Amino acid sequence: MAEAVSDMGGDLEQGLTAEAVAKRYETDGWNELPVKPGKPAWLRFLLQFHQPLLYILLIAGAVKASLGSWTNAAVIWGVTFLNAIIGYVQEAKAEGAIASLAKAVTTETTVLRDGQTLQVPSRDLVLGDIVLLVSGDKVPADLRLFKTRNLQVDESALTGESLPVDKSVHPLPVETPLAERANMAYTGSFVTFGQGRGLVVATAEATEVGKISRSMEQRVSLSTPLTRKFAKFSRILLYAILSLATLTFAIGLRQGESWDYMFEAAVALAVSAIPEGLPAVVTITLAIGVNRMAQRHAIIRKLPAVEALGSATVICSDKTGTLTENQMTVQVIYAGGQPYQVRGGGYSPKGEIVQRHDDQIESSFEDGLPDALRECLTAGVLCNDAQLKHEGEQWSVVGDPTEGALLAAATKADLSQTGLTAANPRLDSIPFESQYQYMATLHNAGSRVIYVKGSVEAVLSRCTQMMNLQSQVMPLERESIEQAVEAMTAQALRVLAFACKAVGPHQHALDHADIETGLVFLGLQGMIDPPRPEAIAAVHVCRHAGIRIKMITGDHVATARAIAQRINLQQAEDVVAFEGRALIAMDDAQLTQAVESGDVFARVAPAQKLRLVEALQAKGDIVAMTGDGVNDAPALKQADIGIAMGKGGTEVAREAADMLLTDDNFASIEAAVEEGRTVYQNLRKAIAFLLPVNGGESMTILISALLARDLPILSLQVLWLNMINSLTMTVPLAFEPKSPGIMQQPPRYPQEPLITRPLLHRILLVSLFNWVLIFGLFEWAEVATGDVAVSRTMAIQALVAARIVYLLSISQLGKSLLGRLRHRSTPVANAPFLLMGIGGAIALQILFSQWSVMNTLFETAPLTWNQWLICLLPMLPMVPFAIWVNRVDPNSPRAVAI
């Protein structure tokens, strides 16, 4: 070990200096693996053509070119090329957005530098740094361990070893195989138990992970259940349309129509029925949803979570951090048989400790702190791994919030952490683990003494004596202590017990057996993590949205129930709570009943969290689960939406989660659910807008071809409508704001098909309207003008005019305008993207008919003012028709729009 320290230029006691760190950055660079280059841009662009629809267009263009129709071929190929560009740009934007959001969440690690414990991003580590590891950490670099305490590390990703490996500090031969190097901790592995310290001996590409070229980058995939539904739907539609087009072509030839005419009809029919712009709209909508969630402190790690959030029926949340402020504050202390009040909140040292007498008179301590109170506060400082930091007026804790509250309480009594630790240096410790429910430290205070803090149950069971006000040892008064605990928990306080034990002068190490019996009870400290005001509001919104909230916590049941009542977890005053030990005795049927009726589950073990999630899922619920610890990882993986804490969570929890909260706030979960519902709502709107146009075009071409009439719309004109016009008018739907009533709707059924029966009815009705409009206006115009090109142009422009009205009818802006027409005080929705889309569509349609170049390419003709006026007339019947469709289709996108 000494050789390793010498080679790295490190210091095991003080760590590196700031100057040494700066020099290492210059020579070694950052501790991160180079990102593996993705597919080159040219290949990603070519892959945009890897779609069945585009194959058809390319083949159709080639046939047109072989027949001498070079203009038609050029337009078809041009539209194909444009589709590829749109897909390429949007896919790149979406992937870039998700990748940048993933990078925004950095891995924090604890290091020792200049004698101080700091938290820095893992990429800032350099050779020679001293890294402190605790349960739940992700190992940030290759470390040579020099201090361990029951340290176990999961190295399965590197070695394939399924079980965690026990670590030690003993030297090993150089030829020791990787999987047997017990004195090393490697990048990317996870600490599952205990604590340790290690010297950074390799970073970035020099690590074992780097040597075998394992890329640690996060792969971004835009494939989700919803996009796969779209792909399946498109394939089914494609096969159906190809079959119908082939049949139409054969029937036309048999009726004596020319080969050229029927080929044009078949191509137009095939192209018209397929919603070419839909995949791009799906990608854009999901990407916008991801960015909106990020702005509301929810980072999506796995894109399917965007969809799943919209159908969540239950949110299982821990109390700490998400529902509360995550700033524990000691409010009551019980020591020497006396209660004390602590004034002042948060981690600030401002405040004081006063004694409250039976006559409600409060007094401070002019003659100094009582000995029992001092010992209780001292135990809270010494049996502690946290540190208080402040910048200006802002105080924060480096470490556990509970331990930070203990430090803050001591500073209010003028007991400093620096002074106490200097006078009582720590010799050894037993870190807190959930299975033991306590932490213990061994100190040299002239004589050797052990301090213990933990749950009341764990500490009291090991105590036989207690300290009175004069620091004299007396028999344990368990009944009075339990009464004090009940009084604290009735105030929703989290209670920790403190004890000590004198040991011999030759003891240098600490083991669980040392504190099994013989402890002297010092006192209790009751603290509270107050509910967040925004979390209270979010719980209220979730209840009205049909989403149930279950609190699953390790806190005392009385504390958890009190917090649940303060945040109005249930409208009923009586909150139903279960303890973990009661759940153990339940069979599956009883657990199912408990998870249905229960609101709070306290003192639960990790396996019970997983079991609760499974019981909810067995009932058909879609479960969102929050967590921040190593023990939460199984439940996070099992849940439909695993939500980890981005600030206070462990790396194990983050890796298992689908979503990260950058502010660790329950209100952000509610906001993410709201955004998830909005994303699905906007996708439904896009489908409801796009497919009726395809349906109307297909019906028009099919009937005209079978009746041997002139085609009211050509294949090139169909491409223009489906690609240019549709995208211009549909993409703004992805930016639609949330509906005012979206969180008053019940959760969406997760197995709901892409095209529901009500939505199918809407598509058929609007398709029929569009067919009547195109076919009828074309037939009338052909008789009135005798010009096929003018007639087709008028039919297309009339369709676009009606589409504008229909677009407004399913948008928030349309709802606002309709409310104003009905003399309601409805605020006008902010819809700049929708107005820009409509404006862009109008401008493009003017060019489509009035510009000679477009006339040549798309076989259109300029229109006169009178003809334009006639094209606008279909907007009038579309208004009452759209209102009628919205009324007869209450389950359509209109349900959250109009």
Side-chain angles (χ1 to χ4, degrees), residues 863-870:
L863 302 182
T864 65
W865 284 108
N866 289 336
Q867 291 168 341
W868 272 109
L869 183 60
I870 293 171

Side-chain angles (χ1 to χ4, degrees), residues 137-256:
D137 282 351
K138 183 177 182 179
V139 180
D142 284 4
L143 308 178
R144 171 63 169 90
L145 300 171
F146 63 87
K147 186 176 183 180
T148 62
R149 183 67 184 175
N150 299 327
L151 183 64
Q152 294 181 349
V153 178
D154 179 359
E155 298 179 340
S156 57
L158 185 63
T159 65
E161 178 67 42
S162 59
L163 297 176
V165 178
D166 291 318
K167 293 296 181 178
S168 67
V169 299
H170 304 298
L172 295 170
V174 176
E175 63 274 10
T176 302
L178 179 67
E180 298 177 12
R181 298 174 190 171
N183 59 5
M184 294 290 296
Y186 293 106
T187 305
S189 54
F190 294 100
V191 179
T192 60
F193 192 83
Q195 59 183 196
R197 294 192 177 196
L199 176 74
V200 176
V201 295
T203 60
E205 290 182 283
T207 62
E208 292 298 326
V209 169
K211 290 178 182 177
I212 62 176
S213 301
R214 171 170 288 181
S215 174
M216 299 294 286
E217 67 184 11
Q218 180 175 338
R219 285 294 180 187
V220 178
S221 174
L222 298 181
S223 175
T224 73
L226 187 60
T227 57
R228 289 192 289 272
K229 283 183 181 179
F230 275 116
K232 181 179 179 180
F233 166 75
S234 297
R235 286 195 299 271
I236 294 174
L237 183 63
L238 176 64
Y239 298 148
I241 294 304
L242 285 178
S243 301
L244 188 59
T246 302
L247 181 62
T248 302
F249 180 77
I251 292 175
L253 291 180
R254 189 166 185 176
Q255 290 177 343

Side-chain angles (χ1 to χ4, degrees), residues 157-460:
L158 185 63
T159 65
E161 178 67 42
S162 59
L163 297 176
V165 178
D166 291 318
K167 293 296 181 178
S168 67
V169 299
H170 304 298
L172 295 170
V174 176
E175 63 274 10
T176 302
L178 179 67
E180 298 177 12
R181 298 174 190 171
N183 59 5
M184 294 290 296
Y186 293 106
T187 305
S189 54
F190 294 100
V191 179
T192 60
F193 192 83
Q195 59 183 196
R197 294 192 177 196
L199 176 74
V200 176
V201 295
T203 60
E205 290 182 283
T207 62
E208 292 298 326
V209 169
K211 290 178 182 177
I212 62 176
S213 301
R214 171 170 288 181
S215 174
M216 299 294 286
E217 67 184 11
Q218 180 175 338
R219 285 294 180 187
V220 178
S221 174
L222 298 181
S223 175
T224 73
L226 187 60
T227 57
R228 289 192 289 272
K229 283 183 181 179
F230 275 116
K232 181 179 179 180
F233 166 75
S234 297
R235 286 195 299 271
I236 294 174
L237 183 63
L238 176 64
Y239 298 148
I241 294 304
L242 285 178
S243 301
L244 188 59
T246 302
L247 181 62
T248 302
F249 180 77
I251 292 175
L253 291 180
R254 189 166 185 176
Q255 290 177 343
E257 295 296 329
S258 67
W259 192 92
D260 289 351
Y261 172 81
M262 290 312 301
F263 179 78
E264 170 64 29
V267 171
L269 178 62
V271 172
S272 66
I274 301 174
E276 295 92 331
L278 194 55
V281 171
V282 172
T283 302
I284 294 169
T285 305
L286 291 176
I288 291 170
V290 168
N291 280 286
R292 281 180 170 176
M293 288 182 181
Q295 293 171 4
R296 302 183 73 172
H297 309 291
I299 292 182
I300 300 298
R301 294 185 66 247
K302 302 171 184 177
L303 203 58
V306 179
E307 306 157 26
L309 279 166
S311 56
T313 59
V314 178
I315 299 176
C316 298
S317 177
D318 190 0
K319 174 183 71 67
T320 305
T322 52
L323 294 170
T324 55
E325 294 283 0
N326 204 23
Q327 283 201 350
M328 298 295 290
T329 303
V330 174
Q331 293 191 336
V332 178
I333 300 175
Y334 175 87
Q338 295 294 324
Y340 302 91
Q341 297 289 325
V342 183
R343 293 173 174 172
Y347 302 126
S348 170
K350 295 180 180 178
E352 62 177 342
I353 300 176
V354 298
Q355 184 172 2
R356 195 163 186 172
H357 302 285
D358 293 337
D359 55 4
Q360 304 300 308
I361 298 175
E362 297 177 348
S363 63
S364 56
F365 308 105
E366 297 179 357
D367 298 328
L369 294 176
D371 292 338
L373 177 59
R374 178 183 294 275
E375 280 298 306
C376 183
L377 292 171
T378 299
V381 174
L382 295 178
C383 191
N384 198 311
D385 286 329
Q387 287 184 321
L388 291 181
K389 300 288 184 182
H390 69 97
E391 296 179 2
E393 296 296 321
Q394 297 296 322
W395 285 80
S396 61
V397 61
V398 178
D400 185 79
T402 298
E403 294 188 328
L406 300 177
L407 296 177
T411 57
K412 292 170 185 175
D414 296 326
L415 297 177
S416 72
Q417 183 181 24
T418 303
L420 287 175
T421 53
N424 304 271
R426 182 186 296 188
L427 303 178
D428 199 5
S429 67
I430 298 176
F432 178 86
E433 293 291 346
S434 58
Q435 68 185 95
Y436 294 110
Q437 293 293 317
Y438 62 75
M439 173 184 177
T441 54
L442 173 65
H443 298 268
N444 182 10
S447 59
R448 304 294 166 93
V449 62
I450 299 173
Y451 286 107
V452 181
K453 80 167 188 294
S455 68
V456 175
E457 298 92 333
V459 174
L460 271 186

Side-chain angles (χ1 to χ4, degrees), residues 385-619:
D385 286 329
Q387 287 184 321
L388 291 181
K389 300 288 184 182
H390 69 97
E391 296 179 2
E393 296 296 321
Q394 297 296 322
W395 285 80
S396 61
V397 61
V398 178
D400 185 79
T402 298
E403 294 188 328
L406 300 177
L407 296 177
T411 57
K412 292 170 185 175
D414 296 326
L415 297 177
S416 72
Q417 183 181 24
T418 303
L420 287 175
T421 53
N424 304 271
R426 182 186 296 188
L427 303 178
D428 199 5
S429 67
I430 298 176
F432 178 86
E433 293 291 346
S434 58
Q435 68 185 95
Y436 294 110
Q437 293 293 317
Y438 62 75
M439 173 184 177
T441 54
L442 173 65
H443 298 268
N444 182 10
S447 59
R448 304 294 166 93
V449 62
I450 299 173
Y451 286 107
V452 181
K453 80 167 188 294
S455 68
V456 175
E457 298 92 333
V459 174
L460 271 186
S461 64
R462 292 166 168 81
C463 293
T464 55
Q465 297 175 304
M466 63 180 290
M467 182 178 291
N468 63 17
L469 284 175
Q470 291 74 35
S471 70
Q472 296 172 338
V473 176
M474 57 182 288
L476 185 71
E477 297 179 354
R478 183 178 294 273
E479 184 176 349
S480 62
I481 294 172
E482 290 177 346
Q483 290 176 352
V485 172
E486 290 179 4
M488 291 184 188
T489 55
Q491 303 176 55
L493 300 179
R494 180 182 182 184
V495 184
L496 289 180
F498 299 83
C500 67
K501 181 180 182 180
V503 293
H506 301 294
Q507 183 159 349
H508 299 281
L510 192 58
D511 197 76
H512 292 285
D514 297 325
I515 56 174
E516 197 62 34
T517 58
L519 298 185
V520 177
F521 178 77
L522 297 177
L524 307 170
Q525 294 194 45
M527 60 194 70
I528 188 171
D529 183 9
R532 298 175 183 255
E534 63 271 25
I536 297 175
V539 168
H540 176 78
V541 171
C542 286
R543 284 210 322 264
H544 282 273
I547 303 172
R548 292 167 294 152
I549 312 298
K550 306 285 185 182
M551 183 191 296
I552 303 177
T553 178
D555 273 337
H556 192 282
V557 64
T559 303
R561 182 187 282 115
I563 290 293
Q565 290 173 338
R566 292 179 64 174
I567 65 174
N568 300 318
L569 196 66
Q570 289 294 334
Q571 287 183 320
E573 292 186 4
D574 187 21
V575 174
V576 180
F578 291 91
E579 286 191 88
R581 58 187 176 187
L583 299 178
I584 295 175
M586 295 182 182
D587 58 25
D588 290 343
Q590 292 172 325
L591 184 69
T592 300
Q593 180 62 33
V595 80
E596 175 65 21
S597 61
D599 307 307
V600 172
F601 300 88
R603 286 287 194 258
V604 293
Q608 292 172 328
K609 289 186 179 182
L610 178 61
R611 195 177 172 207
L612 288 170
V613 172
E614 291 174 336
L616 286 167
Q617 291 174 324
K619 293 176 67 285

Side-chain angles (χ1 to χ4, degrees), residues 42-181:
W42 63 268
L43 180 57
R44 285 187 284 119
F45 178 72
L46 289 180
L47 289 175
Q48 299 301 317
F49 294 92
H50 185 52
Q51 300 179 38
L53 169 64
L54 297 188
Y55 294 157
I56 295 175
L57 294 179
L58 292 172
I59 294 172
V63 173
K64 284 285 187 180
S66 66
L67 296 175
S69 300
W70 287 102
T71 301
N72 286 355
V75 172
I76 291 176
W77 287 335
V79 170
T80 306
F81 187 77
L82 178 62
N83 181 83
I85 292 177
I86 293 173
Y88 172 81
V89 171
Q90 294 303 329
E91 184 176 297
K93 284 184 177 180
E95 290 186 352
I98 298 172
S100 63
L101 291 174
K103 292 178 181 178
V105 180
T106 59
T107 300
E108 296 287 326
T109 190
T110 305
V111 299
L112 183 66
R113 288 178 180 172
D114 285 321
Q116 293 186 334
T117 302
L118 306 173
Q119 282 192 321
V120 300
S122 60
R123 71 189 298 266
D124 291 353
L125 289 180
V126 296
L127 296 177
D129 259 328
I130 304 300
V131 175
L132 283 63
L133 299 174
V134 295
S135 179
D137 282 351
K138 183 177 182 179
V139 180
D142 284 4
L143 308 178
R144 171 63 169 90
L145 300 171
F146 63 87
K147 186 176 183 180
T148 62
R149 183 67 184 175
N150 299 327
L151 183 64
Q152 294 181 349
V153 178
D154 179 359
E155 298 179 340
S156 57
L158 185 63
T159 65
E161 178 67 42
S162 59
L163 297 176
V165 178
D166 291 318
K167 293 296 181 178
S168 67
V169 299
H170 304 298
L172 295 170
V174 176
E175 63 274 10
T176 302
L178 179 67
E180 298 177 12
R181 298 174 190 171

